[in-house]
Amino acid sequence: MKTICLYFEIHQIIHLKRYRFFDIGTDHYYYDDYENERSISDIANRSYMPALNTIEDMIKEHGQYFKVAFSLSGTGIEQLEMHAPQVLEKLQKLNETGCVEFLAEPYSHGLSSLANEESFARDMKKQVQKIQEYFGQTPKVARNSSLIYSDDIGAQIAALGFKGMLTEGAKHVLGWKSPHYVYNCNMAPDLKLLLRDVELSDDISLRFNNAEWEGYPLFADVYMDRIARLPEEEQIINIFMELSALGIAQPLSSNILEFLRALPAQAKERGITFSTPTEICMKVKSVGNLDVPDTLSWVDEERDVSCWLGNAMQREAFQKLYSVADRLLIADDPRIMQDWDYLQASNNFRFMTTKPSNVGLDRGIYSGPFDAFTNYMNILGDFINRVNALYPEEIDNEELNSLLTTIRNQGDEIEMKDKEITRLKAKLEKLEPAAAEEEEKPAAKKPGRKRGPKKSE
């Protein structure tokens, strides 16, 4: 039986302000608060809330039949907390239905998986904690920023304990293979891989409102017929996109939400179900390894990382940023760590791209890639000075490695103790009902001698 895995990403760009060379050392605040509030309020009103309300209606109408998955970046959650808390409240309400799964992704929506394994692990763990805090779920399936993936990244994700990962069904990786199967990481066979169907996803997120597209106008019954006609053995259809596609990339006037609302009924007529990523990873066996020696993503025609690291400016900024990554593993300054999350965000490097793209790129305050590079490097210069003031460069590598080893060992010890506490709590919970039951039993009478009638004197 065919099943659809429908997944939406929620992330918000943190807009940097105009920061000049002479600001270095005097101004440690890097953000355009007005633009951040304006942009996320706009997206919340035009996309997130209408889309989530529609999904809520779909769940009410179809119950447990309809399921959907989301992932939120930590930096995106922080922006929603400040400027659009109604979005988080709606997601919490959807969570209560039991029809929604939340995935893990890097807190920063950054590129740490390409630079520093320890930073990447911390980024993922931090986001897991945030998801637990908001939704009470512990994510079992992960996705990297922009579905970035390689064999090595898959191994890192598996080492963190995840059971599955989403990535792109890129033609140059799949070759003759189909994205409609479950695969596994070739360096970590227990990690299942769910591959995005590029065409079916982009028909909704990129082409839906394009009157020049040969598939225009797209109707739910036609769309579902295409899925039903896929070969019988191709049963996993992964439709992944940004939530902002519903309302921003494809305006509400295009009837994109009416199209979405009609999908479950059309799927049900054709015997097609909906599943969450974890359900698929738990129930469906892998058909084999997927070899991805070179990094892929869901961005641009090349489906690689060249939009972030394709020119010398991007690579210089990237290398300079992660030159302090090891020092930040011992940092405990909240302001420094928040700036670290925001400066890692992948859009900072995307604004520096010199590549042509089929998808329009809004560079915000920047006139071009060099302008974006100059502004970012000014901010980065101030940030690195602050890091070095706290954790001087004079600390040699041996001393730094010793500190990091101590921190890791302490972390392992805490983790072991947490597991022991959980085990003992579970044991105590089992013993408490038995003890209470024992107390409720009436005290047994001890056998004694029967006394005869008293003799009269």
Side-chain angles (χ1 to χ4, degrees):
M1 181 182 289
K2 287 180 169 56
T3 193
I4 294 172
C5 180
L6 185 60
Y7 153 81
F8 296 102
E9 172 202 273
I10 299 176
H11 168 62
Q12 180 62 25
I13 290 174
I14 307 294
H15 295 273
L16 302 178
K17 70 181 182 183
R18 181 63 68 182
Y19 193 93
R20 307 191 184 281
F21 177 79
F22 298 104
D23 294 325
I24 298 173
T26 61
D27 183 2
H28 304 318
Y29 192 77
Y30 311 135
Y31 313 108
D32 185 339
D33 290 335
Y34 172 79
E35 182 58 23
N36 285 326
E37 181 176 3
R38 185 207 65 78
S39 61
I40 197 164
S41 298
D42 180 57
I43 292 173
N45 291 332
R46 290 169 55 203
S47 170
Y48 293 166
M49 289 307 296
L52 293 175
N53 284 331
T54 298
I55 290 170
E56 182 180 33
D57 290 343
M58 293 162 72
I59 291 173
K60 285 178 180 176
E61 182 178 352
H62 300 284
Q64 294 294 316
Y65 169 77
F66 177 71
K67 294 171 184 176
V68 64
F70 296 95
S71 74
L72 298 84
S73 67
T75 53
I77 290 177
E78 289 185 15
Q79 291 297 297
L80 291 170
E81 287 172 335
M82 287 189 285
H83 305 304
Q86 70 273 21
V87 175
L88 291 172
E89 290 167 7
K90 179 62 68 175
L91 286 167
Q92 287 175 321
K93 191 173 179 183
L94 290 176
N95 180 51
E96 293 170 2
T97 66
C99 299
V100 175
E101 179 177 356
F102 291 92
L103 311 185
E105 69 163 70
Y107 190 94
S108 66
H109 198 78
L111 307 174
S112 56
S113 61
L114 306 176
N116 188 291
E117 190 171 334
E118 292 286 343
S119 292
F120 181 53
R122 177 194 273 193
D123 224 1
M124 294 297 297
K125 289 175 182 176
K126 187 175 179 180
Q127 183 59 8
V128 166
Q129 290 173 352
K130 198 75 171 176
I131 295 299
Q132 289 171 333
E133 173 190 329
Y134 264 98
F135 307 110
Q137 292 191 22
T138 300
K140 297 180 179 65
V141 175
R143 56 91 65 180
N144 201 357
S145 310
S146 300
L147 298 191
I148 291 173
Y149 178 80
S150 68
D151 295 334
D152 182 61
I153 292 170
Q156 292 179 53
I157 286 292
L160 293 172
F162 293 102
K163 304 303 179 186
M165 188 173 185
L166 312 187
T167 190
E168 181 77 340
K171 289 180 181 177
H172 71 275
V173 170
L174 283 170
W176 57 268
K177 296 177 182 177
S178 166
H180 304 139
Y181 296 93
V182 173
Y183 296 90
N184 62 267
C185 173
N186 74 347
M187 290 176 63
D190 289 338
L191 183 76
K192 303 280 185 67
L193 299 177
L194 304 184
L195 308 185
R196 175 178 179 260
D197 185 305
V198 177
E199 186 176 346
L200 287 171
S201 300
D202 287 354
D203 283 352
I204 299 175
S205 62
L206 296 182
R207 294 182 280 270
F208 185 83
N209 195 42
N210 181 2
E212 296 179 3
W213 171 45
E214 61 181 12
Y216 179 88
L218 181 61
F219 295 102
D221 57 345
V222 175
Y223 186 81
M224 209 54 69
D225 279 340
R226 285 168 55 195
I227 293 174
R229 285 196 301 267
L230 290 169
E232 187 179 348
E233 63 274 14
E234 297 187 16
Q235 296 189 354
I236 310 299
I237 294 85
N238 300 309
I239 301 171
F240 305 160
M241 68 193 77
E242 297 176 5
L243 186 62
S244 61
L246 310 179
I248 303 297
Q250 309 305 319
L252 298 181
S253 59
S254 69
N255 293 324
I256 184 69
L257 295 184
E258 286 68 20
F259 169 84
L260 180 71
R261 192 190 301 270
L263 289 179
Q266 295 297 325
K268 192 178 289 187
E269 282 183 16
R270 293 157 179 79
I272 300 170
T273 64
F274 287 82
S275 300
T276 64
T278 293
E279 286 176 338
I280 293 172
C281 289
M282 295 296 106
K283 294 177 183 177
V284 182
K285 291 182 179 179
S286 166
V287 296
N289 293 343
L290 187 72
D291 298 323
V292 189
D294 300 315
T295 312
L296 65 87
S297 76
W298 70 358
V299 178
D300 292 346
E301 289 297 321
E302 295 85 356
R303 300 292 196 265
D304 59 13
V305 296
S306 58
C307 67
W308 303 289
L309 301 174
N311 64 44
M313 292 185 296
Q314 292 170 310
R315 291 190 291 272
E316 182 181 345
F318 182 75
Q319 288 162 10
K320 187 163 186 179
L321 174 67
Y322 284 99
S323 69
V324 295
D326 286 340
R327 294 179 188 282
L328 285 165
L329 291 173
I330 60 172
D332 60 359
D333 184 295
R335 180 72 180 276
I336 286 279
M337 294 312 298
Q338 184 179 59
D339 290 339
W340 172 242
D341 287 334
Y342 292 174
L343 293 177
Q344 284 188 85
S346 62
N347 57 275
N348 292 312
F349 302 96
R350 183 80 191 274
F351 293 151
M352 303 175 201
T353 187
T354 50
K355 282 180 59 182
S357 174
N358 293 333
V359 181
L361 175 61
D362 180 4
R363 297 184 202 265
I365 62 171
Y366 305 125
S367 59
F370 184 72
D371 188 28
F373 170 73
T374 303
N375 200 68
Y376 183 77
M377 292 301 279
N378 287 340
I379 290 173
L380 197 52
D382 183 78
F383 176 73
I384 289 176
N385 287 344
R386 290 165 58 208
V387 172
N388 288 336
L390 286 174
Y391 311 101
E393 291 179 283
E394 289 73 27
I395 299 177
D396 59 29
N397 287 336
E398 189 175 339
E399 187 177 352
L400 184 62
N401 286 334
S402 174
L403 284 168
L404 293 176
T405 301
T406 302
I407 290 169
R408 289 190 199 106
N409 290 341
Q410 287 175 342
D412 291 342
E413 190 176 338
I414 290 168
E415 191 175 343
M416 287 176 63
K417 286 181 177 176
D418 284 344
K419 287 180 180 176
E420 180 64 13
I421 289 169
T422 302
R423 187 186 69 79
L424 290 172
K425 278 183 178 176
K427 190 174 180 181
L428 188 62
E429 284 171 4
K430 288 180 182 177
L431 290 173
E432 281 176 346
E437 193 176 317
E438 197 64 34
E439 285 179 10
E440 287 174 7
K441 288 181 181 177
K445 292 182 180 178
K446 291 182 181 179
R449 291 180 183 173
K450 288 184 180 178
R451 288 188 179 181
K454 225 174 186 182
K455 290 182 181 178
S456 54
E457 292 179 3

